Amino acid sequence: MSPIPNLKLNSGSLMPAIGLGISAGTLQEARDKAHVWIESALKSGYRHLDTAWLYQTERAVGEAIRASGIPRSEIFVTTKLAWHHHACVEKAIQDSLTKSGLDYFDLYLMHFPQAAAYKDNSFETPLDPRGFETILENPTFNEVWADMEKVLASGRVKAIGVSNFSIKTIQQLLKTANVVPAVNQVELHPYLIQEELVEYAKEKGIVITAYSPTGKAKILADPVILEIAAHHDATTAQVILAWHVARGVAAVPKSTNAERQMENLQLAELRPEDIQRINDLDRNERISNKAGLDGKMLGWTYEQLGW
């Protein structure tokens, strides 16, 4: 098994290639208990935690870090600007810092390029974050990015990036950006390998991070993945995570189980032919975030998203 490498961001920071995704669903009770399995992950060796304002687990992340006894400087923490906070970035970052009890975040991402609003323009979010009232034309993500650059300059975050951006939206962002995004976090797994986006990001010095990196049960049970895992005496998750790292991509799998958390930090050593076979599984198929019957994904068409 291979150790977890660090990926160097264009900010100069080092980010562990495997992190822990910290979405706890829409039940408040589950969010309140998330600190237990986050602390378990830290004790298993995780040093990269991926949360978001919309997940409502920032408080749990801070609690777990303090309970672990691990120095804050040794843990890379990512959080994300909620899509209904695009017009109030300053208020949003302060709220995230207050909830977590942290002095800074290592990475701050714009969670979505589109801006949304909840009932009465509420700063808070319904338990289901997809229950937005409307999609707004303003502010544009270029304007939001300018405010995020101010947060970066203040020292409260060490790097800034985006999430759910495409080549199209990154190109639009770079027309006005003074800071190139350090990271673009997107859905990426063996059925959605996003080769063009990965290569474009490398050219621009942007690290790609994969969410839903194993593709959930559907891909974990794929015959090709099962065969490669059997050859290496590894789990299918260990194979897929190793494939991400071999491509220079970070991944943030979620696991609340201590045994699986430890397994996910032990990557199979794949052969070039293994990597190619996994690449060949690509179907351009989205599993986590995909258009509904109206042809839109959270209010935007694939054309608007550049997907």
Side-chain angles (χ1 to χ4, degrees):
M1 295 292 178
S2 301
I4 304 300
N6 288 316
L7 299 177
K8 190 170 184 177
L9 306 185
N10 59 22
S11 63
S13 300
L14 295 177
M15 182 178 75
I18 300 297
L20 181 74
I22 309 177
S23 171
T26 58
L27 296 178
Q28 191 59 49
E29 182 180 5
R31 294 170 174 176
D32 291 341
K33 293 180 179 179
H35 65 94
V36 175
W37 51 268
I38 300 169
E39 184 182 353
S40 164
L42 287 170
K43 291 180 177 179
S44 296
Y46 282 82
R47 293 298 181 267
H48 176 181
L49 305 177
D50 183 85
T51 184
W53 195 98
L54 282 174
Y55 302 162
Q56 290 292 289
T57 54
E58 292 169 325
R59 190 182 309 280
V61 166
E63 291 173 354
I65 290 174
R66 290 185 287 276
S68 74
I70 299 167
R72 168 69 183 90
S73 59
E74 295 181 12
I75 304 170
F76 190 100
V77 183
T78 299
T79 195
K80 306 177 189 76
L81 173 73
W83 63 336
H84 66 301
H85 292 166
H86 281 199
C88 54
V89 175
E90 175 62 29
K91 180 179 179 180
I93 185 62
Q94 283 303 129
D95 191 65
S96 290
L97 289 167
T98 298
K99 283 179 176 174
S100 66
L102 302 178
D103 295 327
Y104 68 93
F105 290 105
D106 296 273
L107 179 62
Y108 194 40
L109 304 180
M110 191 188 314
H111 207 151
F112 293 96
Q114 61 267 52
Y118 291 99
K119 187 176 181 180
D120 300 324
N121 288 321
S122 173
F123 184 82
E124 298 304 319
T125 310
L127 284 176
D128 180 2
R130 294 173 180 257
F132 61 91
E133 292 288 311
T134 185
I135 289 292
L136 308 175
E137 291 186 11
N138 292 296
T140 66
F141 56 73
N142 294 77
E143 294 169 325
V144 178
W145 187 253
D147 287 338
M148 290 179 64
E149 290 180 340
K150 293 175 184 176
V151 173
L152 175 65
S154 76
R156 289 169 291 173
V157 300
K158 304 300 183 184
I160 53 177
V162 293
S163 182
N164 295 299
F165 272 59
S166 62
I167 293 175
K168 174 183 177 178
T169 47
I170 291 175
Q171 287 175 333
Q172 180 63 38
L173 183 69
L174 293 179
K175 289 180 179 180
T176 59
N178 293 310
V179 176
V180 175
V183 168
N184 181 20
Q185 186 175 131
V186 297
E187 181 176 350
L188 197 158
H189 44 67
Y191 286 3
L192 182 71
I193 73 170
Q194 305 236 51
E195 185 66 23
E196 289 185 12
L197 179 60
V198 170
E199 291 306 312
Y200 174 81
K202 287 179 180 178
E203 292 173 6
K204 297 296 181 181
I206 302 169
V207 170
I208 293 289
T209 296
Y211 67 76
S212 299
T214 60
K216 304 181 181 179
K218 182 176 183 178
I219 300 176
L220 289 170
D222 186 280
V224 171
I225 304 294
L226 287 168
E227 184 180 327
I228 294 172
H231 177 85
H232 293 282
D233 192 23
T235 68
T236 48
Q238 287 171 329
V239 165
I240 295 173
L241 294 175
W243 168 76
H244 283 295
V245 173
R247 301 178 76 207
V249 168
V252 285
K254 176 191 171 181
S255 178
T256 62
N257 178 278
E259 183 177 348
R260 285 196 294 272
Q261 287 173 348
M262 287 188 283
E263 286 178 349
N264 288 346
L265 289 178
Q266 301 168 26
L267 305 185
E269 296 185 7
L270 301 182
R271 304 163 297 179
E273 55 265 38
D274 296 327
I275 296 169
Q276 187 57 54
R277 291 184 71 195
I278 296 173
N279 286 345
D280 291 342
L281 294 175
D282 185 33
R283 304 177 183 180
N284 195 34
E285 179 181 346
R286 296 182 184 275
I287 295 175
S288 293
N289 281 320
K290 55 186 176 181
L293 295 176
D294 62 356
K296 296 180 178 180
M297 200 294 290
L298 299 179
W300 273 20
T301 64
Y302 279 2
E303 181 180 0
Q304 287 173 290
L305 288 161
W307 291 3

